[in-house]
Amino acid sequence: MTTSLKGKIALVTGGSRGIGAAIAKRLAKDGADVAISYVSSKDKADAIVKELQSMGVQSIAIHADQADSTQVSALVKKVVDHFGKLDILVNNAGVFVTGGLEDPSVDGKEIDRQYAINVSAVAAAVRAAAPALKSGGRIITIGSVLGDRTPFAGIADYSATKAAVAGYTRGWARDLGARGITVNAVQPGPIDTDMNPDNTEFAEAAKQGIALGRYGKPEEIAAAVAFLASPDASYITGTTLTVDGGMNA
Ligand code: NDP
């Protein structure tokens, strides 16, 4: 365990699996106490909490559906009530709903739900967390390379959600800069998780367009988040850090 985040309290939304679980573990490794949220994977969330506790930090898991902004605000409040403060908010929970503009099978409700989870919930979490954050506080949102570029058809809705959080990131950096709080987004390329497993025809095709020729690991996104959360990133705000193996190069 390193100690750069010792004494810090972090909340990672969607910390039960994939990138969020890797971020939770990395922040704990760096010394932070970590709360995670989940919507359906209680057993997985509980297992992550046990793993973090075994690393010598405090940890709790809280159920909160990011599709409901009331639950998101309550989540932030529960973390602040439990730990007495909040230093690092990582907006990670997200979903990937595809479908082209003229595809009749696209379910508009799922598109709206995606927007609620990927965008409105992020805004609700930041609004709830901002009053609790102090100078040195960190807000880090997991966007996507698809927020910058749209390399194939059928992902306009998802891409728009990730472009929206990049825009929010710049605006919130302005809103919170005077208080010494930094706001940034990490934009992953294809990362091997349940959302985008590295064992499909899609993955093989995607790798052709990645400079490094491979999918990333959740830990490689967690490393970027840990850097932005650390004191070393004190002068970085309002920007996006793309971690994509050169997909958007
Ligand atoms: P996974 O599907 O592997 O994990 C998603 C996580 O988000 C789970 O912890 C899940 O909780 C949680 N979650 C999903 N919906 C909700 C909800 N309604 N309320 C609360 N929690 C929810 O995804 P990844 O780890 O791959 O993705 C994490 C983030 O990274 C997302 O924002 C995604 O858009 C982004 N991203 C991923 C890329 C990739 O290639 N994997 C590429 C670029 C960006 P539960 O376990 O309870 O369901």
Side-chain angles (χ1 to χ4, degrees), residues 148-174:
D148 278 348
R149 294 188 60 213
T150 310
F152 48 89
I155 53 170
D157 293 288
Y158 177 81
S159 295
T161 67
K162 296 305 187 177
V165 293
Y168 261 136
T169 295
R170 292 186 285 274
W172 289 328
R174 293 279 182 191

Side-chain angles (χ1 to χ4, degrees), residues 139-231:
I139 297 171
I140 302 159
T141 300
I142 307 303
S144 168
V145 285
L146 302 181
D148 278 348
R149 294 188 60 213
T150 310
F152 48 89
I155 53 170
D157 293 288
Y158 177 81
S159 295
T161 67
K162 296 305 187 177
V165 293
Y168 261 136
T169 295
R170 292 186 285 274
W172 289 328
R174 293 279 182 191
D175 289 345
L176 297 174
R179 291 176 47 211
I181 297 162
T182 70
V183 189
N184 293 292
V186 172
Q187 300 194 141
I191 306 298
D192 183 18
T193 66
D194 296 340
M195 182 186 280
N196 190 2
D198 182 10
N199 59 3
T200 62
E201 267 180 40
F202 173 82
E204 287 315 310
K207 282 180 220 171
Q208 306 301 316
I210 300 172
L212 292 179
R214 67 170 177 87
Y215 264 37
K217 294 179 254 171
E219 293 75 18
E220 292 175 311
I221 302 306
V225 171
F227 166 64
L228 290 172
S230 77

Side-chain angles (χ1 to χ4, degrees), residues 11-69:
L11 165 60
V12 181
T13 64
S16 47
R17 294 184 283 127
I19 293 170
I23 293 169
K25 287 184 217 175
R26 176 57 195 261
L27 297 181
K29 188 176 166 215
D30 290 354
D33 297 322
V34 183
I36 62 170
S37 72
Y38 65 95
V39 66
S40 54
S41 310
K42 183 178 183 340
D43 291 352
K44 287 183 181 161
D46 288 344
I48 296 290
V49 164
K50 279 210 177 81
E51 192 174 338
L52 302 190
Q53 288 168 341
S54 75
M55 294 165 74
V57 304
Q58 293 185 60
S59 181
I60 53 170
I62 298 172
H63 175 272
D65 185 351
Q66 300 282 120
D68 174 358
S69 58

